[in-house]
Every structure is written in C-alpha cells, then in structure tokens.
Amino acid sequence: MRTAEIKRRFLNHFETNGHTVVPSAPLPAIADPNLLFINAGMVQFVPFFLGQRTPPYARATSVQKCIRTPDIDEVGKTSRHGTFFQMNGNFSFGDYFKEGAIKLAWELSTKPVDQGGFGLDPEKIWATVYLDDDEAIGIWKRTGLPAERIVRRGKKDNFWSMGIPGPAGPCSELYYDRGDAYGKSGGPEVDEDRYLEYWNLVFMQHEITNVKSKEVFDIVGDLPNKNIDTGMGLERIASLLQGVDNLYEIDEVKPILAKAAELTGKRYGQAVSHVAAESHPDDVRLRVIADHVRTALMVISDGVIPSNEGRGYVLRRILRRAIRSMRLLGWQEGPALPLLLPIARDCMAPSYPEVAEEYDRISQYAYGEEERFLQTLNAGTTILDLAVTETKATGGRLLAGDKAFQLHDTYGFPIDLTLEIAAEQGLAVDEDGFRRLMAEQRANAKADAKARKTGHADLSVYRAALEDGGPVEFTGYRETVRESRVRSLLGAKVAGEGDEVSLVLDATPFYAESGGQLADSGFITLGGGRVEVLDVQSPLPGLIVHRARVVAGEVHPGDTAFAEIDIDRRRAVSRAHTATHLIHQTMRNFLGESATQAGSLNAPGRLRFDFNTPAAVPASVLHDVEQQVNEVLLRDLTVHAFITSQEEARKIGAMALFGEKYGDEVRVVEVGDYARELCGGTHVERSAQLGLVKILSEASVGSGVRRVEALVGLDAFSHLAREHLLVSRLAELFRVPGDQVADRVEQTVAQLRDAERELEKLRTQVVLAGAGALAEGARDVHGIAFVGTEAPEGTSANEVRTLVQEIRGRIPADRPAVVAVTARAGGKASLVVAVNAAGKDRGLKAGDLVKGALSGRGGGNADLAQGGGVPAAEAPNLLTAVEKAL
Ligand code: ATP
Ligand code: MG
C-alpha cells in the first residue's frame, strides 16, 4: 500500500468517526520559542490542551510534518528513525477518552485492507501501558489482546508530559512483531527494532506541578477535561504494510536511495540479515543520504534557508552530511544534489504539490549550499595537501593538531575528513592536540560571553530607572514636543555644560533606535539648562534613554523638561520607513511570499532593505518594483497604525514573523490597502509625502539574502538630478543625444581597444626590425656567434623573448650561436638567453647561462631561459657575464 494511500485511509477513518481534518502546520515551530521544528502532531494544538484557547471542534485528525533533530544520529542505524517524518494523529479535546482511542486505533490497525483498514495481523500486535494503568489494560483485554502481549512499562517510556506544569498522563504504545528474522523475541522491552512501535496513544488525564524533570513531578489531580493525543508514524506503518525492512525503503524514500546507490556504484542491501544494527556501513550511508535529501527538500519548502544558526543551521548540517556521505561512498563528479533532489521532489509531490510548484526556489537554495560546501572542501583540501607534504618532507608521520584545528576553524573542514585524507597519505593526525584546541576555543568563547554579560554592569542602573516610575511613555507617534520631568541621570546627580549624560524622562517624543529605524535627534530644555540629544536607545523594554550633551546650564534629576525632536530628520526617517514597507510588499508581489524581510535600515532620506531570496533579482524586476512603488505613492494612500491582537493581525494578513507568544498585542501599520505589516516605527501620514523612491542597487549580503538600497523624497530627486546633469555633460562631450551616450561610449571603448592592439603590433615590428642588424653584428667569441644587447626602454617581457628568438633565427644555422638580451623595467633588470642547435651541440645551455649570470635566479631549458630581479644598473654586467661564460 502506497504511503499516500495509507495517509488517505487514516484521515478517512477518523473523519468518518466525527473528526475534523486539520492541515499540517509548517515545519518551523514559530509559536514555540523552545522548539526549532514541529516534532509531533499535537504541537499545533497545544493552546487547546493548555486551556488557553477553546478548540472549534471536539475531535480533530491530521497528518503533521515533523522533524526530530535528536534522531539525526539514529538515521540509518535503526530501522525506524527519520529526521523528517509524518505523524498521523487523532485528537480529542474533552470528548472521547481511553476506551474510544484504543477502539479507534485497533479498528484501523486490524480492519482488512479491502474494507479500508490496514489489515495488520491482530496476533502480532503488542501494547505497552503505564505501570498502574489498569484501566487501559482492561480495555485492551476487552478489545481482544491477550495478557501476555500487554506489557507494563515505567515513566520513561509510558508517561507523557511536556516537562512543564500542566496536563500529563500515561500512554499506551502499539507495537508490531516483525518476526524472528528481525531480532530477539520477548516483546518490546527486549528488542525495539523487531517489535516496531508504530502508534502512541497519550491519555491526558492528570495535572502535574513541581516538575523537576520529565520523570520527577507531582500529580495534583485529574483534569476536568480529559484529552487524547495520538501519533502514528506514517513511514513506520508504511514500512510494515509495504513489507520492507525499514522506513528508508518505502515508496517515498527508496527511489532517492536507489539513485544514490546507482551514482556511487554501490549495491544496496549487502547485509545478510534483516537486523538493522547489522547493516553494512555503505547501506547506512545510503539511508542517511536518502533521509537527509528528503528532509532538506521539505525544510526548504517550508521557508527555511541554510545559515549558521537555528533552523538554518540544522538544514545546513543535513545538506552537508548528505553531500559528504556521497563523497565517502566514492562520488567525485561535482554536485550530487541536482541528481538527487529531483527524485525526492517526485517522491513527495503527490502529497505535497508545493515541492514541485516551488522547486525552482527550493533547488536554488539546496544547490547553492552544495556549491559553497564543495568550495570549502576544495579550499581545505589544498591547505591539507600542503600540510601533508610539509609533514612528510620533515620525515614526520603525524599531522599537527593545530593544522587540523585551523582547517576546522577557518575552512569548516570536518575532522573526520582530515583524518581520512591524512590516512590515505599514510599519516596519522594528532587528534588529542586537535581536541585540546577545540576545548580551549570553547572555553574562550564561554569566558567571552560571560565577560560580555558582566561588562554590562549598567543593566542594574537601567533596571532601577525602570522600577522607579514604571515604563517611560513614548508619545512620539502623535506629537513631536512634550513637557515632562527628568526622572534620572542614570547614576549622576548633576551634569554641567559640556558633560555627556544619559537622561531618562517620564515621557518622551524621542524615538529610540529599533526595528532598523534610527533614533530621533533634537533638544531638551530643562529648568536651568539645555541638552542636545545625540542618540536614543531602549536598553530594556519600556525604558527610553537619551544620550545627550549639555549645551548650556545644568541638569538635575527632577527638573522639568521640554523635549523637542528635530522634525525634519524625523520626517525624512519616517519617509524612509514607509518606503521600506512598500518595497517589502512589492518585492513579495513580484518574487513571492518567501521574499520576507531579513533586516533594514531607515535613515533620513535613505534606506536599506535586506530580504530572503535565493538569487539575484533581475534588473527588469527591480525596475518593475520601483515603478510599482512609485505608482502607490501617487495613489496618495492613507497610512494608518492600530493596535490589535496577534491573532487578528495574522488573520488580516499583516506581514510579520509571528514569533511572540499567543495573545500578545501588536501594532499594525497599513498603507491603504496595499501593505500591512507589524511595526513599532514611525511613518508618514499619506503615501504621497514620500515624493519619490529611487532604488540604487541590489546586491548579495550572504547566502540567500539580498539587499536593496534606495533613496526617498528630496534625496531621491537630487540623485536623479545629478545623474541627469552627468548624462547631459556626456552627451555634450560626445556630441550625441542623451539616449545614445551609452552606445557611443561602448563604441569609443572598442575603438580604443583596437588602437591599443594595433600599437602593440607596431611596437613589436619595430623591435623585431632591429633583429636583422643585430644578427649580422654577431661577434665571434671562441668560435661562437654571440649577440649581447639591451632592448629599447619600454619593451615588454613578451617582446624581449620574441626578439631573442628572432635574432637567433637569423644567424646561420651551422654557426653555434648564443643571443642574450637584457631589459629594464620598474628599476629591475631582466635577462633572456637563447642558444641555437649548433650551440647546444657545443654543450651550451641557455638555462645554465642565465643561472650563471644571475647567481641562480632564473630558469628555463637549454634553448631558451630567462631570469631577473637584480637592480637595473646591473643590465650591462649580465651581458658580460654571459659572454664570459662562453
Ligand atoms: P522511538 O522510541 O521509536 O524513538 P518515540 O517514543 O520517540 O519512538 P513518539 O514520541 O511516541 O515516538 O512519537 C509517536 C510516533 O511517531 C511513534 O510511535 C512513531 O511511529 C513515530 N516516530 C517517532 N519518531 C520517529 C522518527 N524519528 N521517524 C519516524 N517516525 C517516528
Ligand atoms: Mg524517539
């Protein structure tokens, strides 16, 4: 039975039994800060289980995409662990409980295939239950499971909690006995590979507190609403129903594995036994490749891109491990992913059409990562080869630990690769030295982080300022001046003229730098003094600190304060910020939803906007983006900000990374009906106030992230005006209309290049023209025709070589001849010597002559040799030296 069919039957079974089918949440677990990826079907229902939200249904079912990073190391070694897998689940929110859950699971497991079930043999099913869960045991027995196939297990295996106070409860797992060939008999406690866990039923019935660990806590009582949460590994049941040994051999994975085997020339399935632990190492690697390629496909498809932290790093590791495994299996033909990833796409597209629809984007990231990694490997290999040669040259047999460390640290070169390449060269690696350096580095990093933390001794001062009077009110959304009071000078009691102070007011119109928007500047007039505000920061949420210089009088805590921001600067910054929103939305219109913001800078009149996209944005698209943004300006849309719930913001499609907790209030800024985004910044009132937006450049700022820079308002206008002036001047100089300047420049450059080539040719001719006369003037030195001359000033090295050969060619072949020409350039003299065949017969060698004249500096063969690097004044001596050697 194909995996897609198993999935269909699962959902159908539960839908028929009153469950609402809920789509899978995307893989990145953005609602839970403690989780990188969704790792179980229940994750998206957590707010229901915790009673934070009321579920709109009492029963639900889903097939959830999951990633379990802790299982990465198990992949291929067991028969049952994938990095990516799909969890079929059914959920009851205060509706049916143990009896219902067991009955529904048993029914689907054992119902014959022709009646829509999975047709598992009831005689081979085992169940585990929590130690004292007699209720579950009773139900299993009534369902038809004999006592000897019901096993009691402890907290570690059969008690479920989230590791925090809240709902928890016993669980019951279903296992399938695959027979003697797969391992030892005796039930799941004895062999978890022979007895394959395929379904876990969690009975959420208790409330726990005092949670010390997953296994140590107090049960306070029973939940008023008991819940059911189950998870059935889709790949695991597929491996059972498809009669294959493990989940890497099912229909959704095997073709990738087979392709990898074909490419590397390995035969998969070399082990004689079905026991996963006895697998051939090549088989394990092939499984890792298949698993990781599929996982990477699904992860990128859900919007993650390779990077050095968080989810992006997991993805990078997975991709690199797959690529590396291919190399270890002998693949050496350059990129492998372009051959493997399309197979994964074809495997997964029937259930997830988006992987085919968005394959261009997905594959660009994956292929790009492979290219980068191969470059790393290349760079590292050169360094390593050098180190190996050096070690051998000094008779060593051990590659130094610091070399291995440098390779790892600077080139990201994995240690196992260093070990392997060194071994091929007959060297060992000082692994202890390597590990010591790694440990040192780790210790340093830790000490560093600590120093950075304690370095912020001021944090307590900030905290005191915040506690003393509560959060500072920011009034700058609606006003630009404000009367207030100096709450604190952060440690200081008074500040006089020329001093720099950190000033906290009770309320302020000054915007503290955040979300890419630069701080306001301006002045604060106090009872007896005046300060200029240089910077405004918010070191703690709710606290706004003005860094200011006292320009007159004195400042004391408690002073009344009249705060006044620089309105022109604020307006120019706000224009840039609104423009950023418009560019963000427009980029997404043209490049798709995944072109999300990755960073920004909003400064007076200019902005920088970083966003995620796999490749350079074509000039034509940039042009269209710019045009559309400017059209929006002309529509003179109202810019409007309002506070709403996170939930509502999501519903109305506000752009954001919903990372915060549920129920948080958020501020939404909308530009008419065009752009809607979560934002705490300041903006213009109407889009026409931007005047003009001009995109200047687009460039890469790291893998998968591009940056555009743009000017806004008068700055954009001035830029265009300057460029216009420039074009006008060029047009005048070239005497063509402005729109023909580019063509004319191109033409002129081409002409210039031709002229240079012509000139070079002529110069060579001139140099060579002298060759005949020089040959005729050959002097006889001990029976050898010798020409020694200096080339004219400015003769290139190439020309000198041509000249030498030309002269040699003009001396009659039966006369032994030596030609030596020196040239000067950049304060140095060089020497080229040629010997003809008759000369060589006399035992003369050009190489020796050059080396002799230059004391070893230079080289070549018996016919032609050259050298140099001595002071220019030496040139005549070089000729004499050659002559003397004849
Ligand atoms: P195991 O002990 O075999 O690792 P588990 O106890 O971690 O399994 P659960 O947390 O109970 O598994 O997850 C529910 C179901 O999800 C399991 O019964 C199994 O079918 C499936 N599952 C769990 N981890 C994986 C994985 N890495 N790959 C494929 N399926 C998995
Ligand atoms: Mg597990």
Side-chain angles (χ1 to χ4, degrees):
M1 195 182 303
R2 300 190 69 80
T3 305
E5 172 64 12
I6 299 173
K7 173 175 164 179
R8 197 193 61 73
R9 286 185 184 213
F10 183 91
L11 293 176
N12 186 45
H13 174 68
F14 286 100
E15 195 175 19
T16 317
N17 282 289
H19 293 65
T20 301
V21 177
V22 179
S24 172
L27 281 168
I30 37 192
D32 185 343
N34 298 315
L35 209 57
L36 287 180
F37 293 103
I38 302 272
N39 60 3
M42 56 85 65
V43 174
Q44 67 164 318
F45 302 113
V46 165
F48 301 156
F49 289 133
L50 293 180
Q52 292 167 335
R53 277 160 59 201
T54 316
Y57 29 65
R59 302 175 174 202
T61 181
S62 70
V63 176
Q64 174 67 48
K65 297 182 265 189
C66 296
I67 300 262
R68 289 196 178 176
T69 47
D71 284 348
I72 290 181
D73 291 326
E74 302 294 322
V75 170
K77 296 182 196 154
T78 73
S79 61
R80 61 185 206 282
H81 289 104
T83 310
F84 167 84
F85 66 98
Q86 300 153 84
M87 198 187 282
N88 297 346
N90 56 290
F91 307 90
S92 154
F93 309 106
D95 193 53
Y96 64 83
F97 196 51
K98 254 176 235 190
E99 177 108 42
I102 291 178
K103 198 172 133 274
L104 284 164
W106 181 261
E107 218 176 86
L108 178 63
S109 297
T110 57
K111 191 156 56 166
V113 170
D114 55 13
Q115 290 169 34
F118 291 155
L120 292 179
D121 180 353
E123 304 288 313
K124 293 186 181 162
I125 294 177
W126 289 60
T128 59
V129 297
Y130 181 56
L131 291 178
D132 66 358
D133 195 356
D134 294 331
E135 187 189 357
I137 294 188
I139 300 171
W140 277 123
K141 283 187 180 156
R142 283 201 298 287
T143 311
L145 212 55
E148 62 274 18
R149 278 191 277 124
I150 305 172
V151 184
R152 293 179 194 256
R153 292 181 93 173
K155 273 205 183 107
K156 187 163 108 22
D157 296 295
N158 280 59
F159 198 92
W160 176 89
S161 81
M162 298 207 296
I164 53 170
C171 55
S172 179
E173 295 168 333
L174 283 82
Y175 286 76
Y176 197 71
D177 179 5
R178 299 194 286 167
D180 291 335
Y182 289 85
K184 293 193 265 316
S185 64
E189 293 223 272
V190 177
D191 192 326
E192 292 217 326
D193 244 355
R194 164 175 175 166
Y195 300 89
L196 181 73
E197 176 195 336
Y198 68 95
W199 205 339
N200 188 0
L201 317 178
V202 176
F203 312 129
M204 252 181 252
Q205 63 190 64
H206 304 304
E207 185 165 351
I208 57 170
T209 62
N210 260 336
V211 184
K212 304 251 167 15
S213 72
K214 277 259 191 186
E215 287 174 58
V216 183
F217 47 77
D218 295 335
I219 295 179
V220 253
D222 280 355
L223 290 172
N225 276 329
K226 297 192 174 62
N227 304 312
I228 288 293
D229 150 33
T230 89
M232 169 202 257
L234 178 57
E235 287 77 3
R236 291 199 186 173
I237 183 84
S239 70
L240 293 177
L241 298 185
Q242 293 174 15
V244 294
D245 282 357
N246 54 59
L247 49 77
Y248 323 101
E249 294 174 18
I250 66 167
D251 58 337
E252 278 187 351
V253 190
K254 183 71 187 285
I256 317 171
L257 191 158
K259 185 72 185 180
E262 177 200 318
L263 292 173
T264 55
K266 298 287 176 190
R267 196 170 55 83
Y268 176 73
Q270 301 185 42
V272 270
S273 100
H274 292 285
V275 181
E278 292 167 8
S279 299
H280 190 282
D282 285 352
D283 285 357
V284 175
R285 283 200 175 125
L286 288 169
R287 292 174 194 151
V288 166
I289 294 166
D291 170 88
H292 285 15
V293 169
R294 180 168 91 129
T295 301
L297 174 86
M298 299 307 292
V299 171
I300 304 176
S301 166
D302 274 357
V304 178
I305 60 178
S307 75
N308 273 337
E309 54 189 28
R311 300 181 186 104
Y313 186 62
V314 173
L315 171 61
R316 170 160 285 170
R317 264 181 57 207
I318 289 171
L319 276 168
R320 293 191 166 194
R321 194 156 176 244
I323 297 162
R324 176 102 180 83
S325 301
M326 281 297 284
R327 311 239 134 214
L328 289 174
L329 288 177
W331 173 255
Q332 293 189 333
E333 313 287 313
L337 288 179
L339 303 165
L340 295 170
L341 200 65
I343 315 279
R345 171 198 61 203
D346 297 343
C347 288
M348 300 308 288
S351 283
Y352 302 93
E354 64 271 19
V355 300
E357 285 153 17
E358 294 196 28
Y359 189 71
D360 281 350
R361 177 182 69 80
I362 298 171
S363 58
Q364 269 178 31
Y365 282 119
Y367 299 170
E369 180 64 16
E370 178 166 30
E371 262 165 42
R372 262 186 301 278
F373 185 48
L374 293 184
Q375 274 163 17
T376 300
L377 286 180
N378 283 341
T381 309
T382 314
I383 305 285
L384 179 55
D385 285 346
L386 223 72
V388 166
T389 317
E390 270 171 26
T391 310
K392 282 183 164 170
T394 58
R397 320 218 26 89
L398 197 67
L399 191 78
D402 59 346
K403 273 283 174 235
F405 176 73
Q406 184 204 353
L407 279 162
H408 174 90
D409 198 45
T410 322
Y411 300 97
F413 214 60
I415 179 72
D416 54 343
L417 195 64
T418 305
L419 288 172
E420 197 181 281
I421 296 180
E424 282 165 12
Q425 304 280 337
L427 289 185
V429 177
D430 174 11
E431 269 191 84
D432 287 343
F434 169 78
R435 293 200 198 287
R436 207 173 40 244
L437 288 166
M438 286 292 284
E440 260 171 41
Q441 188 196 39
R442 231 173 281 133
N444 286 344
K446 247 192 215 152
D448 224 41
K450 221 171 172 183
R452 241 181 284 132
K453 253 185 214 152
T454 47
H456 285 203
D458 294 350
L459 220 56
S460 60
V461 184
Y462 293 138
R463 223 169 263 128
L466 191 58
E467 272 157 22
D468 163 33
V472 175
E473 189 192 352
F474 171 64
T475 64
Y477 288 137
R478 41 172 216 279
E479 59 190 19
T480 55
V481 295
R482 174 75 184 187
E483 218 177 285
S484 182
R485 189 187 66 94
V486 177
R487 181 191 292 182
S488 163
L489 295 182
L490 288 192
K493 293 211 166 57
V494 59
E497 206 171 308
D499 289 349
E500 271 200 17
V501 280
S502 294
L503 214 74
V504 178
L505 307 182
D506 283 336
T508 180
F510 279 88
Y511 182 83
E513 177 175 355
S514 83
Q517 179 176 335
L518 295 188
D520 282 328
S521 63
F523 287 91
I524 304 174
T525 310
L526 304 128
R530 182 172 159 84
V531 302
E532 181 180 4
V533 176
L534 309 169
D535 189 22
V536 190
Q537 294 291 333
S538 176
L540 291 173
L543 185 67
I544 299 174
V545 180
H546 311 77
R547 203 168 58 72
R549 189 185 310 108
V550 183
V551 291
E554 282 191 346
V555 192
H556 306 267
D559 280 352
T560 55
F562 185 73
E564 206 176 351
I565 67 168
D566 177 339
I567 299 175
D568 288 338
R569 176 185 161 92
R570 159 70 78 81
R571 286 213 178 105
V573 172
S574 300
R575 278 195 290 268
H577 202 154
T578 307
T580 298
H581 283 211
L582 293 176
I583 291 179
H584 185 189
Q585 178 61 53
T586 312
M587 280 293 176
R588 286 166 61 127
N589 293 350
F590 281 93
L591 301 175
E593 293 290 290
S594 60
T596 50
Q597 177 164 343
S600 70
L601 171 78
N602 298 300
R606 72 190 164 87
L607 66 93
R608 209 165 65 200
F609 174 66
D610 297 346
F611 57 108
N612 299 307
T613 197
V617 183
S620 63
V621 173
L622 274 186
H623 174 84
D624 290 348
V625 167
E626 188 177 70
Q627 168 113 4
Q628 192 168 99
V629 167
N630 281 291
E631 276 166 18
V632 173
L633 305 193
L634 293 184
R635 280 165 60 197
D636 196 21
L637 301 174
T638 308
V639 181
H640 168 61
F642 57 96
I643 306 285
T644 181
S645 68
Q646 175 112 215
E647 173 95 52
E648 183 60 26
R650 195 196 298 247
K651 231 183 258 162
I652 59 177
M655 296 187 287
L657 282 178
F658 289 88
E660 289 108 295
K661 291 188 206 78
Y662 292 95
D664 278 352
E665 286 205 320
V666 293
R667 182 169 182 265
V668 176
V669 173
E670 56 184 18
V671 185
D673 54 357
Y674 188 76
R676 203 175 266 146
E677 190 166 334
L678 295 204
C679 178
T682 66
H683 289 267
V684 299
E685 289 88 45
R686 310 192 60 84
S687 68
Q689 289 168 350
L690 266 50
L692 184 69
V693 173
K694 174 72 200 144
I695 294 180
L696 295 181
S697 63
E698 191 267 358
S700 164
V701 281
S703 87
V705 182
R706 312 287 305 181
R707 164 174 298 175
V708 292
E709 306 205 39
L711 295 175
V712 187
L714 211 55
D715 292 272
F717 170 78
S718 309
H719 173 82
L720 291 178
R722 263 198 315 276
E723 298 231 308
H724 175 75
L725 221 73
L726 190 68
V727 173
S728 306
R729 254 198 81 204
L730 289 172
E732 231 175 83
L733 286 172
F734 284 108
R735 295 177 207 292
V736 291
D739 58 355
Q740 288 171 26
V741 167
D743 287 343
R744 175 52 65 91
V745 169
E746 208 179 346
Q747 247 174 40
T748 311
V749 168
Q751 279 167 4
L752 214 60
R753 210 181 300 120
D754 289 348
E756 267 167 10
R757 251 187 243 126
E758 194 60 24
L759 199 66
E760 166 108 19
K761 231 165 58 197
L762 287 173
R763 279 196 9 214
T764 312
Q765 278 168 17
V766 170
V767 168
L768 295 183
L774 286 166
E776 267 166 34
R779 285 186 289 115
D780 184 279
V781 182
H782 309 308
I784 296 158
F786 175 68
V787 178
T789 183
E790 182 169 340
E793 184 84 44
T795 314
S796 75
N798 252 333
E799 286 163 359
V800 174
R801 264 194 312 276
T802 320
L803 175 64
V804 169
Q805 292 170 79
E806 190 70 24
I807 300 172
R808 179 180 61 185
R810 287 171 189 249
I811 296 174
D814 53 355
R815 278 182 82 188
V818 170
V819 180
V821 177
T822 57
R824 305 180 200 221
K828 300 280 181 202
S830 62
L831 169 69
V832 180
V833 173
V835 177
N836 70 358
K840 283 193 292 180
D841 289 345
R842 290 272 296 260
L844 294 165
K845 291 195 178 100
D848 292 348
L849 291 170
V850 166
K851 279 197 190 124
L854 283 160
S855 352
R857 262 169 303 179
N861 51 32
D863 289 305
L864 188 71
Q866 63 184 21
V870 295
E874 290 287 309
N877 302 340
L878 297 180
L879 297 177
T880 322
V882 174
E883 183 176 346
K884 278 204 178 127
L886 298 179

